[in-house]
Amino acid sequence: MIWLILGLALWIGAHFFKRIAPGVRAGMGERGKLLVTVLSLAGVVLMVVGYRAAEWVPVYSPLPGMGHANNTLMLVSLFLFGVGGTKGTLYPKIRHPMLWGVVVWSVAHLLVNGDQASLVLFGGMGLWALVSMVLINRAEVWVPPTGGRGLKGDAMNVAGTLVLLGVIAMIHAWLGHPVFLGTYS
């Protein structure tokens, strides 16, 4: 569990660096971006290793049938991740689409995983995303972006979402967690 917590701390620390010490971060320029990237990647590796190695300690029992809700929420989450990149009709309407995607991802996984490590990982990431939105909103006035691709961007996002969901499902199956066969974790 220590690796999971350390990885989560690295991820959160790296992403809050700009908010906690904006002057220091700005003074680092490109080196600061590289530092955040390296710490974030190290955090992800430690979270994965720590989650997979964590002892299974039950906290609550997920409700039956929540796997379908998980899969549906994952579609929504992945779509939200792509909103900024594909610049569809939601692009000028949703502030922080990637962070909202993390929140939805977190909730989706907490619906089907009731163990301690899942609460730490998925709950921690969801909480990080919510706090990030609050910090950003306090620091910056949002000016909705203009332009975008409209429905063409949405179509691109739907296609990307479906491909990415397939890749994620294959990775989960490879790790022993088939997400479309009724076995969720």
Side-chain angles (χ1 to χ4, degrees):
M1 184 70 93
I2 189 69
W3 297 114
L4 172 57
I5 294 169
L6 181 59
L8 193 57
L10 273 175
W11 174 272
I12 291 170
H15 284 83
F16 281 171
F17 181 36
K18 180 179 179 179
R19 304 288 165 215
I20 294 169
V24 174
R25 171 58 188 87
M28 294 178 75
E30 291 299 315
R31 291 180 307 139
K33 287 182 183 180
L34 180 62
L35 177 64
V36 168
T37 300
V38 169
L39 291 176
S40 296
L41 288 173
V44 168
V45 169
L46 289 173
M47 284 187 278
V48 169
V49 169
Y51 183 75
R52 295 205 26 98
E55 181 182 345
W56 194 80
V57 177
V59 177
Y60 63 89
S61 295
L63 296 172
M66 285 295 105
H68 301 293
N70 170 277
N71 292 341
T72 302
L73 287 172
M74 283 307 301
L75 279 170
V76 172
S77 173
L78 293 172
F79 186 85
L80 286 170
F81 276 111
V83 165
T86 58
K87 297 178 177 49
T89 56
L90 293 178
Y91 174 62
K93 296 177 174 92
I94 298 178
R95 187 170 190 188
H96 315 299
M98 290 184 83
L99 291 171
W100 280 116
V102 172
V103 171
V104 174
W105 169 84
S106 172
V107 169
H109 283 78
L110 289 173
L111 287 175
V112 293
N113 295 286
D115 61 293
Q116 185 179 43
S118 294
L119 281 174
V120 170
L121 176 60
F122 304 121
M125 288 296 289
L127 186 60
W128 160 77
L130 290 170
V131 170
S132 292
M133 286 187 266
V134 169
L135 292 175
I136 293 167
N137 289 347
R138 283 186 174 175
E140 306 167 3
V141 174
W142 186 50
V143 177
T146 57
R149 296 182 185 102
L151 291 176
K152 180 180 177 185
D154 290 336
M156 292 167 48
N157 197 2
V158 167
T161 295
L162 294 174
V163 168
L164 191 53
L165 184 67
V167 169
I168 290 169
M170 286 190 297
I171 291 169
H172 276 71
W174 178 65
L175 293 172
H177 305 287
V179 295
F180 294 117
L181 301 176
T183 306
Y184 300 90
S185 59

